[in-house]
Amino acid sequence: MGIKAKDLLTMEQLGREQIKLILHTAKEMKSIIKRDIKKVPTLRGKSVVTLFYEPSTRTRTSFELAGKYMSADVVNINTTASSVMKGESLKDTGLTLQAMGVDLVVVRHSMAGAPAMLGSYLEARVINAGDGFHQHPTQALLDMLTIQEHLGDFQGLKVAIIGDILHSRVARSNLNGLTTMGANVYLCGPATLIPPGLEEQGAKITYNLEEAITGADVIVMLRIQLERQKAGFFPSIREYSQLYGLNKERLALAKKDCLVIHPGPINRGVEISGEVADSLNSYINEQVTNGVAVRMALLYLMLT
Amino acid sequence: MRFLLKGGLVIDPQTGLEKEGDIRVAEGKIVEMGMNLAVGDEALIDLQGKIVAPGFIDLHVHLREPGGEAHETIRTGCQAAAAGGFTMIVAMPNTNPCADNEGVIELVKTRAEKTGLVHVLPIGTISKGRAGEEIAEIGSLYQAGAVAVSDDGSCVASGEVMRRALEYTKIFGIPVISHSEDVTLSADGLMHEGKWSTILGLRGIPAQAEEIMVARDIFLAELTGGKLHLAHLSTAGSVALLKFARQRGIMVTAEATPHHLLLTDEEVQSYATSTKVNPPLRSRADVQALQEAVKEGLISCLATDHAPWSEEEKEQEYSKAPSGIVGLETAIPMVWDTLVVKEKMSPLELIARFTTGPAKVLGLEKGCLAVGKEADITIIDPHLKKAVQTSEFYSMGKNTPVDGRVFQGWPVMTIVGGKIVMREGKVKGDIFKDA
């Protein structure tokens, strides 16, 4: 039972059975979220620290609520107002948390590999809440929970992930998790934003949006960051939107009940039209609920 | 100090000698070589089963002093060199202040002499302040003792400046050592661009960032007739370009490092910052091409690019940690094990890359064994098998991804100017103060 490795750093480290266990547990957790009194004593006496080196509202709040619903003591460290700002190294932050007797640390960092490094200094377990362009396992798990709830089995599903693959930890984690469970994953975006070697990891690559979404069961739209345009990866937001934006007409190419999901926050009218975001195909808000459930499941599996 | 080196396998690439024999050393020189030399009143050193080679030369060392004494000093760097079997090291000028003036060249020479362990030859910068804008006072640097010029650590981005450097150094006959990197392509890259950079989410440095500048520098060498030496080549494409240059008769030499000959980008998957180096660890195909080029002699030098960093610097996030791997104390076992033990190269070929190869780049009468020559000798135990232990390093830098790995083929004695400066891994001043 539980998560085998001390730290949850990547989706690659999780096999089929572990993923199934997490999703199954998350489904049970959902019933707690829907209760009138959202509190169970499961994690009483356990301490969880969220350590976010990048701004985040959704993920951090989601972890915090997940811990609180299960009675863990949750402390949020705001790195802009802490010793980190005084130049404390990640190593020393890790050693300090270790000395305080923390049970689990949730870390987000702009640099790939930072959670792994932090984990090496801690006896406490670590959950990677997103590191650079590397991995974001809890996002992949909540996406997978959303898919499973509506489509059942992953085997043979066509999942199209659209956008800035190069800079996306969400794409990498989803690719690993979904292929492990037997889905066919298409990665699609401008050629400048598709890094090498993805086929070896089981992805199908296309630069053509229509090809990616035709007959798709699930479309994962990624947020396009405006600074990527300034860095020269594509010529303009206008052209990006014309080539890779998801609108009603394009969505018609996918299966009728196709799920459209997005890790958020969305750029309405850029990668996704408002019409699609608000349509019946859109499960963007349900993802948020599932995010809390998946994080509750992980805290439960890693702290009990 | 007088002694007789007895019964070792003497290998001298200069003459092709590869034969068991004895060498008598007195007053700092080799005074006699031959079979079964009579034992006189000098010390007898039994070298049965060992290899006796000309003193190894490392063309590419960062001693960090002045300015970077938290990472290495001239003294600890020289100790590391002696421990690693090197009798001569060539010091890169990217110190702080950098060696773009005679003062720093003098300082490095003087302090190295005071240390009294191995020969240290300084390199001057190509450009003033290593800024890549105007060539440095190369004449003054040469007169002060610089044996080459290089802006290593940075690429001379301007083709015009590189051209002038290759022309101007012809006056003095010294090489320009190029750090070939198109920084507009390598940009914020952290590792080799490929499958692993994608998996790890670390920004990639394409092989072409090196190759494009290697191509430029080869054509500038053709244009100018200057002496070009390419530092730390790391890609199959660079090897192909070197072959092309050779065919066209362009004067260019090159070096490869032990880490690029052994390790691939797969090493980075642990995010261990000891794997962060520039140029980065490349793909298996690149390693293969480099090994072949070293065997063929197309790459005529092995050099460490010894780049020590304090633990504080390396114990950071991968993106923040500085680039560099230490090499002086691991170079011989790494390549001996990888290339000789695995029978990809003969001992003589490998020894040539550490002796005649680098000596020729600098135009030095070094790297050979002959009567009357200064006794710079490296002795290797080709059977000794042990693990790398960074905790035992003389270098202040412990930053190497091969800590704990077992290699076969270690230096067991270093002789500089007829003085034994290292024996069984212990450096002079450490165990035998009487020497």
Side-chain angles (χ1 to χ4, degrees):
Chain A
M1 270 294 270
I3 304 299
K4 283 181 204 150
K6 179 175 87 72
D7 302 331
L8 176 63
L9 301 174
T10 69
M11 282 304 286
E12 269 181 298
Q13 78 184 62
L14 299 175
R16 282 181 78 94
E17 292 312 309
Q18 296 240 294
I19 293 174
K20 276 189 194 165
L21 172 67
I22 297 164
L23 297 181
H24 176 77
T25 313
K27 244 179 251 173
E28 314 224 316
M29 293 298 173
K30 251 181 129 167
S31 67
I32 299 173
I33 306 171
K34 286 178 184 149
R35 285 183 200 169
D36 202 19
I37 296 175
K38 303 174 183 55
K39 198 88 169 173
V40 292
T42 322
L43 299 181
R44 208 159 62 185
K46 299 285 182 185
S47 55
V48 172
V49 163
T50 68
L51 179 61
F52 276 57
Y53 288 84
E54 264 187 351
S56 154
T57 309
R58 175 178 319 238
T59 307
R60 199 195 52 70
T61 310
S62 176
F63 269 108
E64 183 176 353
L65 285 174
K68 288 185 169 165
Y69 290 167
M70 292 191 294
S71 307
D73 294 310
V74 183
V75 177
N76 300 310
I77 298 181
N78 175 4
T79 57
T80 53
S82 73
S83 50
V84 174
M85 279 305 279
K86 299 175 192 159
E88 185 174 72
S89 71
L90 187 60
K91 177 182 177 173
D92 288 320
T93 303
L95 294 174
T96 305
L97 292 175
Q98 174 63 31
M100 288 177 174
V102 171
D103 294 307
L104 189 144
V105 179
V106 176
V107 61
R108 165 166 294 186
H109 203 288
S110 61
M111 297 177 197
M117 182 184 173
L118 185 72
S120 72
Y121 297 118
L122 287 171
E123 279 167 40
R125 306 189 81 168
V126 170
I127 295 178
N128 177 6
D131 62 331
F133 318 145
H134 179 220
Q135 287 271 329
H136 192 354
T138 59
Q139 178 69 44
L141 288 164
L142 76 87
D143 289 346
M144 291 173 77
L145 179 62
T146 311
I147 295 168
Q148 195 189 51
E149 282 184 335
H150 294 278
L151 301 174
D153 195 9
F154 293 97
Q155 192 64 43
L157 291 183
K158 179 174 180 178
V159 181
I161 304 177
I162 314 295
D164 179 357
I165 309 298
L166 175 63
H167 301 101
S168 176
R169 53 197 177 207
V170 175
R172 284 174 178 77
S173 284
N174 265 312
L175 171 64
N176 296 148
L178 288 164
T179 50
T180 300
M181 298 308 284
N184 298 316
V185 178
Y186 283 69
L187 300 177
C188 173
T192 45
L193 292 171
I194 305 274
L198 288 163
E199 291 91 342
E200 283 176 68
Q201 291 189 70
K204 297 182 183 63
I205 305 296
T206 174
Y207 307 134
N208 182 303
L209 180 66
E210 280 73 24
E211 188 191 328
I213 63 177
T214 297
D217 297 287
V218 181
I219 300 174
V220 182
M221 296 305 296
L222 300 173
R223 179 181 168 80
I224 190 78
Q225 310 269 15
L226 301 181
E227 64 258 32
R228 306 298 175 211
Q229 187 267 320
K230 292 193 192 88
F233 287 100
F234 55 91
S236 66
I237 289 291
R238 173 174 165 268
E239 184 159 311
Y240 180 85
S241 189
Q242 282 172 356
L243 289 171
Y244 296 101
L246 185 64
N247 55 30
K248 211 70 193 172
E249 294 71 47
R250 284 172 170 161
L251 183 58
L253 296 168
K255 287 216 177 117
K256 192 169 157 287
D257 302 326
C258 175
L259 269 62
V260 175
I261 57 179
H262 189 300
I266 66 170
N267 289 309
R268 269 173 199 271
V270 181
E271 72 262 2
I272 188 165
S273 71
E275 212 182 0
V276 171
D278 300 331
S279 74
L280 288 173
N281 293 87
S282 166
Y283 291 81
I284 297 170
N285 289 322
E286 193 176 320
Q287 282 175 279
V288 178
T289 311
N290 284 345
V292 179
V294 155
R295 284 152 187 145
M296 286 172 77
L298 284 168
L299 293 178
Y300 170 72
L301 291 169
M302 292 176 77
L303 287 175
T304 59
Chain B
M1 204 182 198
R2 297 161 60 229
F3 49 86
L4 180 65
L5 304 173
K6 192 128 187 85
L9 176 65
V10 181
I11 299 181
D12 182 14
Q14 178 80 19
T15 57
L17 175 74
E18 197 168 0
K19 204 172 163 191
E20 221 164 85
D22 306 339
I23 295 178
R24 199 187 307 279
V25 174
E27 277 78 51
K29 291 198 157 72
I30 295 175
V31 293
E32 198 180 3
M33 289 174 69
M35 304 265 284
N36 303 316
L37 295 186
V39 183
D41 58 352
E42 72 273 84
L44 179 73
I45 300 173
D46 179 17
L47 295 177
Q48 285 286 333
K50 310 287 192 290
I51 288 172
V52 181
F56 278 27
I57 302 167
D58 186 351
L59 277 182
H60 198 138
V61 175
H62 296 277
L63 288 174
R64 301 287 186 229
E65 187 178 348
E69 292 84 354
H71 312 295
E72 192 83 289
T73 64
I74 289 169
R75 184 181 156 75
T76 55
C78 286
Q79 286 174 326
F86 291 96
T87 59
M88 177 178 277
I89 57 176
V90 186
M92 279 295 174
N94 59 338
T95 47
N96 185 18
C98 66
D100 67 349
N101 60 82
E102 304 109 288
V104 175
I105 298 284
E106 292 288 354
L107 177 145
V108 171
K109 275 173 43 185
T110 312
R111 293 198 181 162
E113 270 163 35
K114 227 184 247 172
T115 302
L117 286 170
V118 300
H119 302 292
V120 176
L121 305 179
I123 298 177
T125 63
I126 292 172
S127 65
K128 289 177 186 150
R130 299 176 61 248
E133 284 159 13
E134 295 170 61
I135 56 170
E137 291 179 323
I138 295 172
S140 308
L141 294 170
Y142 171 73
Q143 280 156 10
V147 294
V149 288
S150 180
D151 276 1
D152 185 61
S154 311
C155 182
V156 177
S158 156
E160 170 76 3
V161 174
M162 193 63 176
R163 175 201 173 150
R164 296 302 171 220
L166 281 161
E167 285 173 336
Y168 195 73
T169 47
K170 291 201 293 180
I171 306 171
F172 317 105
I174 57 173
V176 176
I177 301 179
S178 162
H179 169 116
S180 305
E181 176 185 358
D182 181 338
V183 293
T184 63
L185 277 174
S186 58
D188 306 319
L190 300 163
M191 66 174 294
H192 176 61
E193 180 171 315
K195 174 186 145 191
W196 283 104
S197 64
T198 298
I199 291 175
L200 296 169
L202 294 172
R203 203 181 284 281
I205 302 173
Q208 286 73 10
E210 171 175 312
E211 291 153 359
I212 284 166
M213 278 300 171
V214 165
R216 180 200 74 173
D217 291 340
I218 284 172
F219 283 116
L220 289 176
E222 181 175 44
L223 170 68
T224 59
K227 263 172 105 171
L228 173 68
H229 177 75
L230 299 164
H232 46 51
L233 289 190
S234 70
T235 80
S238 293
V239 170
L241 289 163
L242 200 55
K243 211 168 276 177
F244 163 84
R246 198 57 52 86
Q247 282 160 0
R248 269 170 93 107
I250 302 166
M251 201 167 12
V252 52
T253 54
E255 72 191 31
T257 71
H259 49 268
H260 289 117
L261 286 167
L262 172 58
L263 308 172
T264 66
D265 56 345
E266 206 178 328
E267 300 277 338
V268 184
Q269 61 179 306
S270 61
Y271 290 101
T273 57
S274 60
T275 63
K276 188 175 173 187
V277 63
N278 188 22
L281 300 176
R282 300 286 188 184
S283 72
R284 199 155 293 285
D286 293 310
V287 169
Q288 189 64 33
L290 284 181
Q291 288 187 357
E292 280 161 25
V294 169
K295 166 160 179 72
E296 288 164 22
L298 197 59
I299 293 176
S300 62
C301 306
L302 292 172
T304 62
D305 193 3
H306 178 79
W309 290 109
S310 67
E311 280 174 34
E312 293 74 48
E313 286 293 326
K314 277 287 190 181
E315 274 179 347
Q316 297 190 77
E317 295 86 335
Y318 204 87
S319 315
K320 275 195 201 164
S323 294
I325 292 177
V326 287
L328 284 170
E329 289 167 89
T330 51
I332 294 179
M334 276 173 83
V335 292
W336 197 276
D337 193 276
T338 308
L339 300 172
V340 177
V341 176
K342 307 225 163 43
E343 294 183 340
K344 288 178 178 152
M345 270 173 92
S346 70
L348 184 129
E349 285 167 331
L350 185 80
I351 290 167
R353 308 295 172 259
F354 278 116
T355 55
T356 46
K360 206 170 156 200
V361 169
L362 299 178
L364 300 173
E365 303 263 313
K366 278 277 174 189
C368 53
L369 295 170
V371 172
K373 287 259 181 204
E374 185 176 17
D376 287 354
I377 299 170
T378 296
I379 294 166
I380 293 165
D381 182 343
H383 308 294
L384 181 61
K385 211 170 171 176
K386 62 173 182 176
V388 172
Q389 274 185 286
T390 53
S391 55
E392 305 276 293
F393 277 3
Y394 285 89
S395 171
M396 291 163 67
K398 317 294 179 196
N399 46 304
T400 171
V402 299
D403 187 24
R405 279 189 222 188
V406 175
F407 296 115
Q408 182 184 336
W410 289 77
V412 289
M413 190 177 284
T414 311
I415 301 168
V416 180
K419 282 195 193 114
I420 299 172
V421 296
M422 180 277 280
R423 200 167 187 169
E424 310 288 342
K426 301 283 179 217
V427 173
K428 189 184 126 185
D430 186 34
I431 48 150
F432 46 127
K433 295 191 168 58
D434 54 318

